[in-house]
Amino acid sequence: LFFGNLHQDFTDFVLRDLGVSPFENYPLDRAARYFQNREILDATLATYVLAEGLDAALDDDCCDTLIEFSKIAFSNKHLLLAFTVDDSRLRRKFCKILNRAARQLERYNCIDEAIRLYASSELVPSRERRARLHAKALELKPCMEICKEIVSLPEDEEEYEFAVKFSRKISKQHHLENDWIPVAQSEIFLVSEIQVDQELDKSVEHLACESFDRQGIESHYVENGLLPGLFGLYFWDVIFSPVEGAFFNPFQRGPTDLFSATFRKERSFLIEEQMNRINVPGFLQSTILNKFIEKKGVANHFVNWGWLDEGLVRLSLSRIPLIDLGLIFGRILRDLKNNRSGFPDLILFPPEGGYNLTEVKGPGDRLQKNQIRWFKFFKEHDIPASVVNVSWL
């Protein structure tokens, strides 16, 4: 009742009192409680019971058991998604259960049952899986209709990219004409090579840093720590703004709706105002540095304090142009859950000035999907970024 979930416990109080995990001090009152009525409490407990039932069905590893479970899930759907229990957090939990069950039905080759479950889910990748299953069954019309729907209104960039690539592939295989499919973007990025001595006790990223340092180029291994951290510091007051229902216990690293579309909708004015201030001389730098000093150590989904120090923050703010930070922050805001990762491993500061975001790849390693999306964005907006392939001397 206090936490709104079944995984947090008294440990959080102990860690807070020991100073191990300090949290932001945001206002809490009766209106902020997660459970505003008995119906939401019953529906929440029902989702946990349903999740446990799915675990048992998966452990049984039997198609008939899983089909029987899916019938139970549908009977619970009216309770969980009723108009009296219109709660986005509950819908997400329920849809996650549907997606897990449907994915296992796919593995059992129960195509119709899987499609039925996916069709009741609002959560990615339900539309992608349905499109793939329709294509597998050679039901091309519904497959392409789903892809077209995703292209026109994607949930995130990954879903959009799937729809574009998959619809192009299906159209080519079956000689279909679809003028709505976007043209493919180039995935050719600036690549260089370096050779280093392999040291088993050092990662390839640290070896690359040492190589750049020897060349007189200051380098820092930052991965997903620096740019999301700067974002979290700059938008700190937006993230922890007192929106009704966003905070209901004192142990949150962000609002409950942080990774949903409602976050941007509920705070659109604050976000727009903060974005407009980026180009005000000195505002972004002073805001980030003041928050770094004031909030150091306080939990925030975007700020990993182990990756940040004041010297690196100051250097980055002096070298990275405001226009670049504004563009990067804007892309993070479009998909807070997925776009807070995928950043290059290193940031380089050449002696002549400027900066470069550098992804390090060891022998046999390659760019991941979320990294490719960031590199496409960097290329489109002329943000200095490159890939360094490392080989062993």
Side-chain angles (χ1 to χ4, degrees):
L1 289 172
F2 181 82
F3 287 111
N5 60 63
L6 295 181
H7 64 265
Q8 285 180 283
D9 57 28
F10 196 69
T11 306
D12 284 325
F13 287 91
V14 177
L15 292 176
R16 180 195 63 181
D17 293 346
L18 291 173
V20 175
S21 299
F23 290 85
E24 178 63 287
N25 183 25
Y26 37 77
L28 293 172
D29 56 27
R30 180 182 291 271
R33 289 178 178 175
Y34 183 90
F35 300 113
Q36 294 292 337
N37 55 58
R38 181 74 197 196
E39 286 76 16
I40 294 217
L41 173 59
D42 288 338
T44 302
L45 291 173
T47 59
Y48 279 107
V49 172
L50 206 59
E52 290 170 3
L54 176 57
D55 290 336
L58 294 176
D59 289 341
D60 195 37
D61 197 19
C62 173
C63 181
D64 291 337
T65 304
L66 199 56
I67 290 175
E68 189 61 32
F69 167 82
S70 69
K71 292 177 182 177
I72 296 171
F74 271 102
S75 68
N76 278 271
K77 181 182 177 182
H78 302 293
L79 167 66
L80 297 170
L81 303 184
F83 292 110
T84 54
V85 187
D86 184 18
D87 185 273
S88 60
R89 291 163 293 196
L90 276 179
R91 288 201 300 273
R92 285 184 64 81
K93 287 181 181 180
F94 183 62
C95 290
K96 282 182 180 179
I97 294 170
L98 294 180
N99 284 357
R100 282 184 66 207
R103 193 71 182 95
Q104 187 62 27
L105 285 169
E106 275 193 68
R107 298 185 180 101
Y108 291 139
N109 206 33
C110 301
I111 304 301
D112 292 339
E113 291 83 356
I115 289 176
R116 183 165 167 256
L117 283 186
Y118 282 133
S120 295
S121 171
E122 307 167 2
L123 211 60
V124 292
S126 59
R127 290 193 293 184
E128 173 185 338
R129 299 315 308 172
R130 281 168 54 212
R132 289 185 183 278
L133 290 173
H134 282 305
K136 186 177 180 180
L138 295 179
E139 297 167 352
L140 303 183
K141 185 177 179 181
C143 168
M144 298 305 285
E145 285 175 351
I146 292 170
C147 288
K148 186 176 181 180
E149 177 187 305
I150 294 173
V151 167
S152 63
L153 200 63
E155 287 292 327
D156 55 38
E157 290 183 8
E158 185 172 3
E159 190 184 43
Y160 174 83
E161 286 181 0
F162 155 76
V164 171
K165 290 181 179 179
F166 194 69
S167 57
R168 191 179 295 124
K169 174 185 172 183
I170 296 298
S171 296
K172 186 176 181 180
Q173 283 180 347
H174 298 278
H175 309 290
L176 304 176
E177 299 221 359
N178 293 287
D179 56 5
W180 52 266
I181 303 176
V183 178
Q185 284 184 278
S186 170
E187 293 186 3
I188 300 174
F189 312 116
L190 184 64
V191 178
S192 61
E193 310 275 340
I194 62 171
Q195 288 187 318
V196 299
D197 287 315
Q198 186 175 12
E199 298 181 46
L200 297 179
D201 61 336
K202 292 182 180 179
S203 69
V204 67
E205 293 85 5
H206 285 105
L207 292 171
C209 271
E210 292 176 358
S211 175
F212 286 117
D213 289 339
R214 286 193 294 270
Q215 299 173 49
I217 302 172
E218 183 176 347
S219 62
H220 296 266
Y221 180 26
V222 294
E223 202 169 352
N224 296 314
L226 178 61
L227 291 168
L230 297 179
F231 171 88
L233 292 168
Y234 184 64
F235 286 94
W236 193 286
D237 291 340
V238 176
I239 293 169
F240 290 101
S241 58
V243 173
E244 184 178 349
F247 299 98
F248 53 85
N249 74 62
F251 303 101
Q252 295 179 220
R253 298 167 64 198
T256 56
D257 63 347
L258 182 60
F259 300 122
S260 69
T262 59
F263 176 84
R264 298 186 299 279
K265 182 179 178 182
E266 293 289 335
R267 301 158 186 82
S268 58
F269 175 77
L270 295 175
I271 291 171
E272 184 179 357
E273 190 176 46
Q274 198 72 342
M275 285 296 290
N276 288 338
R277 289 174 176 172
I278 286 178
N279 293 319
V280 175
F283 181 81
L284 179 140
Q285 293 92 332
S286 62
T287 299
I288 289 177
L289 287 168
N290 289 339
K291 288 299 177 187
F292 180 88
I293 295 166
E294 177 191 352
K295 303 294 184 181
K296 191 167 185 179
V298 177
N300 179 320
H301 273 293
F302 294 93
V303 183
N304 186 332
W305 294 103
W307 287 93
L308 296 177
D309 65 66
E310 188 173 344
L312 175 60
V313 170
R314 287 184 180 277
L315 178 59
S316 300
L317 292 175
S318 69
R319 292 290 196 97
I320 303 175
L322 292 177
I323 188 171
D324 291 5
L325 286 174
L327 289 166
I328 291 167
F329 289 176
R331 184 173 186 270
I332 293 175
L333 281 165
R334 289 205 296 271
D335 187 347
L336 291 165
K337 182 178 180 180
N338 294 309
N339 290 349
R340 60 178 175 154
S341 63
F343 288 94
D345 298 311
L346 312 182
I347 185 166
L348 308 183
F349 298 109
E352 64 272 16
Y355 76 107
N356 187 281
L357 302 172
T358 303
E359 176 63 26
V360 179
K361 292 299 179 187
D365 200 2
R366 56 188 298 179
L367 289 173
Q368 303 300 311
K369 287 182 179 179
N370 58 344
Q371 294 174 330
I372 291 173
R373 283 191 285 274
W374 269 114
F375 268 92
K376 283 182 178 178
F377 180 82
F378 296 149
K379 184 177 181 180
E380 180 183 353
H381 296 284
D382 294 322
I383 293 174
S386 60
V387 179
V388 171
N389 290 325
V390 176
S391 58
W392 308 127
L393 283 169

